[in-house]
Amino acid sequence: MQLYQSQQLKIYNSLTGEKEVFKPIHEGTVGMYVCGPTVYSNVHLGNCRTFISFDLVFRYLKHLGYKVRYVRNITDVGHIEDDADEGEDKIAKKARLEKLEPMEIVQQYSVDFHQIMELFNNQPPSIEPTATGHIIEQIETIRQIIENGYAYVSDGSVYFDVVKFNEKHHYGKLSGRNLDDMMANSRELTGQEAKRNPADFALWKKAEPQHIMRWPSPWGDGFPGWHLECTSMSTKYLGTKFDIHGGGMDLKFPHHECEIAQNEASTGHSPVNYWMHANMLTLNGKKMSKSTGNNILPREIFSGNNDKLSKAFSPSVARFFILQAHYRSILDFSNDAILAAEKGFNRLMEAIEALNELNPSAKSTLDIHSWKQQCYEAMNDDFNSPILIAQLFEAVKYINLVKDGKETLNAADIETLTRLIHAFVYDVLGLESEVKASAGAEKLEGAVNLLINMRNEARANKDFALSDHIRDQLAALGIQIKDTKEGTTFSI
């Protein structure tokens, strides 16, 4: 029997505003889609919180015995600045400023994203589709929406007719917005004259002559709207009805609202049973913002190279800090908060190490079964990681009492407690001990130094093609090498 058959998982559904018992469409299998990054800059800590939150969901569903297909996209075209329908594509703008090809920007920041996710010990999704790899599917979705009467062509662009859609459906049901209010409050933007209504949104945008990223379509050369890609890719890999759709709270409107509308307009029914949204991360009590300087990147946390923190912190400590708050609550990141998290993390890891050294007694004074069920009750209550962590610290307290000879555990219970703590700490929460992380860092350093030695040998032999190839391949992985009089060093 699989664990999910004995555990009742409840998920807070953003669509209904209630916790609901989780019942997958197909027993034993789960389809989950999460909106991935727009790869035009380094992934910031707020984004990482969202992806760590859904990594927790992914891990726990698998722990319960579900077969999970986790799809998380890469947005590499179509995301206009300020989530509007007019203006410049974020990736195209970055490419213009950096004097690079758009796909160079995409590659650079996709690599950075994957490296950061790996450092945080996030498991990769089952499928990671890109928007540019699914242009045909997006064109077909637009065709279907036009055929069903919910979109129109205007000067080479295609817009979704929100007013027509709202006659039979409910546009705004996820975000709780009223269409009349949205229409009244819509900003007057350049290009609005192409729309029938100010609330209409682009499914396909006509490419101006200077626009680099463009594809042929029945309506002329252009590129897809940002909202469209997730509709096309989620339904391609998970079907027109699937279990879970997740993302950051900031995507609820307009992105997820538009996704629901596109799905209903093309298939006639709502696409998702459970909508999940991770809340925002603040820094020192204020919203994170690059423009104000109130911002910190994951690598700056790991290296200590920043003006916000007193020292460097490991990825596992940062992950532990994030999981100490429920994914739906606002979390404030500060020096004091992560210092406290580091102390807690170290206490937890020391207790796990102490488990291996406990002397068994004839009987136990700990009710393992009750403790175990409390751990599952925490995770079954909408993936409540802070309550699970609190239960783990109850076990830490007990382990220390056993170590001091004030409580007892028999051999069977020591084995059970070890197995359960390892399952919850390593498999479900996805934490790594500092010993393991340090060993991984040592292996990486050894591998890079081996490549540096090969490069030095190639340079000595005047094989500059091989030398440059090694340097460029390391750079593509985010590893920069620097030649000095004292020798060659590298940085990540």
Side-chain angles (χ1 to χ4, degrees), residues 419-483:
R419 177 174 50 81
L420 288 170
I421 284 184
H422 278 240
F424 286 121
V425 171
Y426 300 133
D427 298 343
V428 175
L429 293 177
L431 301 173
E432 289 184 295
S433 70
E434 297 295 86
V435 173
K436 184 179 175 184
S438 175
E442 285 178 15
K443 288 178 183 176
L444 173 64
E445 185 176 357
V448 174
N449 282 329
L450 178 64
L451 288 167
I452 287 173
N453 289 337
M454 289 173 63
R455 178 174 174 267
N456 289 340
E457 190 175 325
R459 292 173 76 195
N461 295 331
K462 300 194 183 311
D463 188 351
F464 298 114
L466 177 58
S467 167
D468 292 347
H469 179 69
I470 292 171
R471 180 200 62 208
D472 294 343
Q473 289 299 304
L474 287 171
L477 292 169
I479 301 169
Q480 305 296 326
I481 61 175
K482 187 176 180 181
D483 297 313

Side-chain angles (χ1 to χ4, degrees), residues 17 117 146 151 175 250 275 293 297 425 440 472 485:
M117 290 299 100
I146 292 174
S175 57
D250 57 321
W275 283 90
L297 296 174
V425 171
D472 294 343
K485 290 179 181 177

Side-chain angles (χ1 to χ4, degrees), residues 244-257:
I244 298 171
H245 193 313
M249 193 73 78
D250 57 321
L251 298 180
K252 189 182 283 190
F253 186 88
H255 187 54
H256 290 161
E257 198 73 73

Side-chain angles (χ1 to χ4, degrees), residues 11-20 173-174 273 275:
I11 296 177
Y12 181 86
N13 191 345
S14 299
L15 191 60
T16 63
E18 295 178 355
K19 288 180 188 176
E20 300 174 3
K173 63 183 177 182
L174 179 66
N273 284 345
W275 283 90

Side-chain angles (χ1 to χ4, degrees), residues 60-105:
Y60 187 60
L61 290 171
K62 289 198 297 181
H63 174 77
L64 291 179
Y66 287 110
K67 183 180 179 182
V68 186
R69 177 176 286 177
Y70 174 19
V71 183
R72 187 187 66 210
N73 72 301
I74 293 281
T75 295
D76 56 356
V77 71
H79 194 164
I80 306 298
E81 290 186 286
D82 300 321
D83 304 339
D85 282 330
E86 303 301 326
E88 197 168 4
D89 180 291
K90 289 183 176 182
I91 292 164
K93 180 179 179 180
K94 185 78 169 184
R96 178 173 55 77
L97 293 173
E98 302 271 341
K99 294 183 170 56
L100 296 170
E101 282 288 332
M103 284 300 119
E104 284 184 271
I105 297 295

Side-chain angles (χ1 to χ4, degrees), residues 229-402:
E229 62 175 284
C230 289
T231 291
S232 298
M233 291 188 286
S234 62
T235 54
K236 177 179 173 105
Y237 296 110
L238 298 174
T240 58
K241 188 84 172 177
F242 56 96
D243 299 299
I244 298 171
H245 193 313
M249 193 73 78
D250 57 321
L251 298 180
K252 189 182 283 190
F253 186 88
H255 187 54
H256 290 161
E257 198 73 73
C258 293
E259 273 194 69
I260 292 175
Q262 290 166 161
N263 274 279
E264 291 185 357
S266 58
T267 67
H269 60 78
S270 194
V272 180
N273 284 345
Y274 304 88
W275 283 90
M276 297 178 66
H277 291 92
N279 216 324
M280 68 187 292
L281 187 73
T282 57
L283 177 59
N284 294 321
K286 297 177 183 177
K287 184 179 178 181
M288 284 200 186
S289 169
K290 288 180 183 175
S291 59
T292 62
N294 194 51
N295 185 53
I296 191 165
L297 296 174
R299 288 191 197 279
E300 295 172 338
I301 297 170
F302 309 153
S303 67
N305 185 23
N306 63 81
D307 60 359
K308 307 286 191 305
L309 304 176
S310 57
K311 60 191 281 291
F313 295 90
S314 73
S316 247
V317 167
R319 182 184 178 99
F320 182 70
F321 163 78
I322 286 170
L323 294 175
Q324 279 185 308
H326 190 263
Y327 76 90
R328 284 192 291 114
S329 64
I330 293 174
L331 174 60
D332 187 53
F333 184 85
S334 68
N335 186 62
D336 288 347
I338 196 165
L339 277 170
E342 185 178 52
K343 285 181 184 175
F345 175 82
N346 290 337
R347 274 185 62 217
L348 179 60
M349 292 303 162
E350 286 163 9
I352 293 173
E353 286 296 311
L355 261 173
N356 301 322
E357 300 162 11
L358 294 183
N359 294 316
S361 300
K363 62 177 185 177
S364 295
T365 52
L366 172 67
D367 184 348
I368 294 268
H369 177 77
S370 174
W371 174 82
K372 169 187 171 182
Q373 197 48 42
Q374 285 176 304
C375 290
Y376 277 109
E377 283 173 6
M379 287 303 292
N380 290 339
D381 182 18
D382 193 31
F383 310 97
N384 203 323
S385 57
I387 301 298
L388 171 62
I389 289 170
Q391 288 301 325
L392 290 171
F393 277 108
E394 286 299 312
V396 167
K397 199 184 302 178
Y398 194 86
I399 289 165
N400 290 331
L401 288 171
V402 173

